[in-house]
Amino acid sequence: MGAREVRALLTPDELPLYLRLAERLLADLQAADGEGGARLPSERQLAERYEASRVTIRAALGELRERGVLVSLPARGWALAAPPGVREEARGARVLGFSDLAGQRGLRTRSRVLSSAVRPATVREAELLRTVAGAELFELRRIRYLNDLVIALEHNRLPLAVAPAMATTDFTETSLYDVLRAAVPSQAPRYADYSVEARHAEGDEHEHLELSGPVPILAATQLTFNQAGVPIELTFQAYRGDRYTFHASITD
């Protein structure tokens, strides 16, 4: 008999406190009818609102994550997961890759693959991608070109299980996001946690980005989530500061 069957035999008063709280949270979230991606109040605010300890709140949130109701955002709290089966185009939200953005502007893209391999995930990578340390991870390093000009040095890491075809794909011309969308089940990059900073080039970035002189770079880190709110891609990008501008729309 599984945990759900045991749970079904218990009356509400017999359930552990965190499960009772999870049911209250779920009822309140359903009543609020929020959209996927909407952020929840902080754990401290939830603890005050529901008069529960932070430990109990965290356990209840974890329970709702296991049910696919919530997703945890590294260093940013919790958010509603996208409803299953909802297409990104219908919701008006999706993450565009390098090739997607270039195609919208009529620019030619190509890549020079520096390395492509399957290896075990580290503890930190497993934590961010919600897998286990040692699980198969696909790692890809490329130099990205627009109209034959060097734009970026890119380092992608993804759980191999999300799209096993990655291991045998030639990414010189093929888009990584096209491979994700073609996977079974399809992996639609929906939203991402993105951070960017300006700094000097380091190590082999000078050579790969064909830098000469004091040209700054924009160093970006991106954790991308699919349509179910599951993290599927951890990426680092180093852009030539003289050939790339970052734009963002800020909402509530």
Side-chain angles (χ1 to χ4, degrees), residues 18-170:
Y18 81 94
L19 289 178
R20 299 203 301 270
L21 181 56
E23 295 302 329
R24 289 180 60 194
L25 278 167
L26 179 59
D28 290 346
L29 291 171
Q30 290 172 337
D33 194 25
E35 293 188 352
R39 295 275 297 280
L40 269 65
S42 69
E43 291 181 4
R44 178 184 59 79
Q45 292 171 315
L46 290 172
E48 293 175 354
R49 179 181 302 177
Y50 291 95
E51 298 181 342
S53 70
R54 292 278 292 274
V55 172
T56 303
I57 287 290
R58 194 170 295 119
L61 294 170
E63 169 69 16
L64 294 181
R65 178 178 60 193
E66 292 301 314
R67 300 187 199 179
V69 176
L70 300 178
V71 293
S72 58
L73 308 177
R76 293 178 57 200
W78 298 81
L80 289 173
V86 176
R87 289 178 57 86
E88 299 312 308
E89 294 81 0
R91 296 190 65 83
R94 62 187 180 121
V95 176
L96 298 178
F98 187 88
S99 299
D100 297 324
L101 292 170
Q104 288 184 351
R105 293 162 174 76
L107 302 173
R108 300 190 315 276
T109 66
R110 67 179 177 89
S111 300
R112 178 157 68 90
V113 176
L114 301 175
S115 62
S116 174
V118 176
R119 63 166 175 81
T122 66
V123 172
R124 179 58 175 162
E125 290 165 342
E127 179 183 3
L128 291 172
L129 293 168
R130 291 191 209 153
T131 183
V132 296
E136 289 187 317
L137 191 80
F138 176 70
E139 181 173 43
L140 176 66
R141 295 185 77 241
R142 294 174 290 175
I143 300 174
R144 311 303 302 273
Y145 296 81
L146 289 178
N147 289 356
D148 293 324
L149 291 175
V150 174
I151 301 297
L153 174 64
E154 191 169 75
H155 179 199
N156 313 98
R157 286 159 288 173
L158 307 91
L160 183 63
V162 303
M166 293 185 296
T168 55
T169 299
D170 180 2

